[in-house]
Every structure is written in structure tokens, then in C-alpha cells.
Amino acid sequence: VTTSFIDEHPELLQPKKVRRNRGNKLLEYLGNIIVNGNATELGATGPPPSRVEPIVPLIEDPPKTTERSLKQIFDQDGANAFAKAVRNKKGLLITDTTWRDAHQSLLATRLRTNDILKI
């Protein structure tokens, strides 16, 4: 057994040619068509896509409660009290990360401010 494998194979350290991911390329194309309409320079003909107005759901206010939220506990009592409250909480706790990471990037480039304001 030796530890000279990388020394014997210097091609491993050469950067590979980066190919653009076909999935990302397709997603970018579809997003561009949805936001900007059909590209006439690519040979698109006919009328532009019909406008679709989003259906904004009616959301009822949650029932009033006297129990403090975990956010309020964290803000008022600090991290230790928050951790204790989480451990004592019965039921499932979910963290919504919809507006983070890749979704945030996609929404930033695909969702119009006009559509966000309607929600």
C-alpha cells in the first residue's frame, strides 16, 4: 500500500471542463419564456401568451391565544428559555425554508413584484 496515488496521477488535479447543467439551462429558458413571452428571434409566431392573474387565497386570522409564541419567548427570555420551550413543546415543530437558498434565487429572478404585492 502506498500514498502516492495522486503523485502518480497528476491529471486528477487538472480542472475539468465545466459544462452547463442541461436542467438549469432548460429552467432558465422556461422562466424567460414565462416572464418575457415567446422569443421572436427564435422564430416564435402568433400572439403573446395570455395573461394569467393569480388567484389570491383568503386567509382567516388564526384564533387568539394567550400562549406566547416561540419567537416571543426567544425575543423576551433569550436562547436558553427558547431551547427549553422547544424541548417541552408537544407536537411537531416545522421550520419553513421556502424563501431561502435556491428558492429565493428562483423567486428573485422569476416572480414579478406586481405578483408578490397581490399576495
Side-chain angles (χ1 to χ4, degrees), residues 91-102:
L92 178 66
L93 298 174
I94 297 175
T95 300
D96 181 8
T97 60
T98 304
W99 291 93
R100 291 183 52 194
D101 306 330

Side-chain angles (χ1 to χ4, degrees), residues 1 4 8 10 15 20 24 30 39 48 52 83:
V1 176
S4 59
E8 294 168 1
R20 191 156 182 208
N24 286 344
L30 292 174
V52 177

Side-chain angles (χ1 to χ4, degrees), residues 40-103:
T40 54
E41 66 272 8
L42 297 176
T45 60
S50 61
R51 297 193 54 81
V52 177
E53 294 299 323
I55 299 172
V56 180
L58 296 175
I59 301 174
E60 296 179 14
D61 290 334
K64 299 292 181 194
T65 178
T66 57
E67 183 181 351
R68 291 191 307 163
S69 70
L70 292 174
K71 169 88 167 89
Q72 291 170 331
I73 292 172
F74 179 77
D75 289 342
Q76 296 168 3
D77 302 334
N80 288 334
F82 171 77
K84 183 177 180 182
V86 167
R87 286 191 297 272
N88 292 334
K89 186 82 170 171
K90 301 293 183 213
L92 178 66
L93 298 174
I94 297 175
T95 300
D96 181 8
T97 60
T98 304
W99 291 93
R100 291 183 52 194
D101 306 330
H103 298 293

Side-chain angles (χ1 to χ4, degrees), residues 8-26:
E8 294 168 1
H9 298 87
E11 69 274 7
L12 293 173
L13 299 177
Q14 297 301 319
K16 287 187 173 186
K17 225 179 187 179
V18 178
R19 283 204 244 159
R20 191 156 182 208
N21 182 325
R22 290 183 300 165
N24 286 344
K25 193 173 181 181
L26 177 62

